[in-house]
Amino acid sequence: MKFDQIRTFLWVARLGGFRKAAERLHLSQPAVSTRIANLEDELRVPLFERGPGDLVLTKHGTLLLSYAEQMLFVEEEIKQRVANPSEAEGLFRVGASETIAQSWLPDFLKAFSQQYPRVNVDLTVDISLNLRAALLERRLDLAFLMGPVSEFTVENVPLPPSICIGIAPPRIH
């Protein structure tokens, strides 16, 4: 049994016909008929009483419809809660070297909290050696540090180069 078959069954039952369900799902009518036939074969029960006039659910079809509606509801919940970044919540532990923390990290954190408003960020500023250890010990979820980490469990993503300039007072003789 595939989720597409269940979704197709749900729309045939809700709309009262294969043609209407096909239009709703952007499928051909034969594709909808095939999905329903395969579902009925797999369940070994008829889901619709076919005949002249309206399509009527069988007893088994009525039972399946209640499960199909629950599954569709859960699918929508998953899309809203899991796939929607604004619904993400929890603690995100970030480590950064001092240079990064003083340059572009504030802009990054601002953009991050706009994208994930319900996630709390715990920021650690330290030297790269300590950040690497914390990352490998899973005390950090993300670390911005100098140089790659040679460990198969860590994905290294190079960042664009930063422009660093030195400023000094004029020379006085």
Side-chain angles (χ1 to χ4, degrees):
M1 182 173 7
K2 294 181 175 65
F3 195 70
D4 284 340
Q5 293 171 323
I6 299 293
R7 182 184 293 110
T8 302
F9 164 78
L10 177 98
W11 285 109
V12 170
R14 279 186 179 174
L15 300 173
F18 287 72
R19 184 182 51 77
K20 290 177 184 175
E23 289 171 7
R24 170 71 167 82
L25 296 168
H26 307 290
L27 296 170
S28 67
Q29 188 172 338
V32 169
S33 297
T34 300
R35 285 184 183 181
I36 297 301
N38 290 341
L39 183 60
E40 288 177 324
D41 286 347
E42 188 170 342
L43 295 174
R44 297 189 183 111
V45 295
L47 300 171
F48 298 99
E49 290 181 17
R50 292 166 177 86
D54 291 337
L55 208 55
V56 178
L57 286 169
T58 63
K59 184 174 93 174
H60 297 290
T62 302
L63 180 61
L64 181 59
L65 181 60
S66 68
Y67 287 118
E69 287 173 338
Q70 290 174 36
M71 290 174 72
L72 194 65
F73 174 78
V74 170
E75 179 189 31
E76 288 305 313
E77 282 288 302
I78 289 169
K79 286 178 181 175
Q80 292 204 354
R81 301 265 176 164
V82 176
N84 184 354
S86 66
E87 290 294 322
E89 56 186 36
L91 181 64
F92 188 56
R93 301 162 306 172
V94 177
S97 67
E98 195 169 318
T99 304
I100 292 168
Q102 291 179 8
S103 57
W104 57 263
L105 188 64
D107 291 334
F108 170 83
L109 293 175
K110 182 179 178 185
F112 182 88
S113 45
Q114 288 172 344
Q115 182 82 19
Y116 303 96
R118 298 172 66 179
V119 174
N120 293 316
V121 175
D122 180 32
L123 178 62
T124 301
V125 177
D126 206 338
I127 61 172
S128 291
L129 183 67
N130 294 342
L131 294 172
R132 180 189 183 283
L135 185 67
L136 293 175
E137 293 168 8
R138 303 209 185 276
R139 290 183 283 123
L140 290 176
D141 300 307
L142 175 68
F144 296 106
L145 47 87
M146 302 300 166
V149 174
S150 300
E151 174 67 34
F152 75 94
T153 60
V154 175
E155 181 180 352
N156 290 286
V157 178
L159 298 173
S162 297
I163 298 173
C164 293
I165 57 170
I167 300 175
R171 238 177 169 186
I172 302 177
H173 292 279

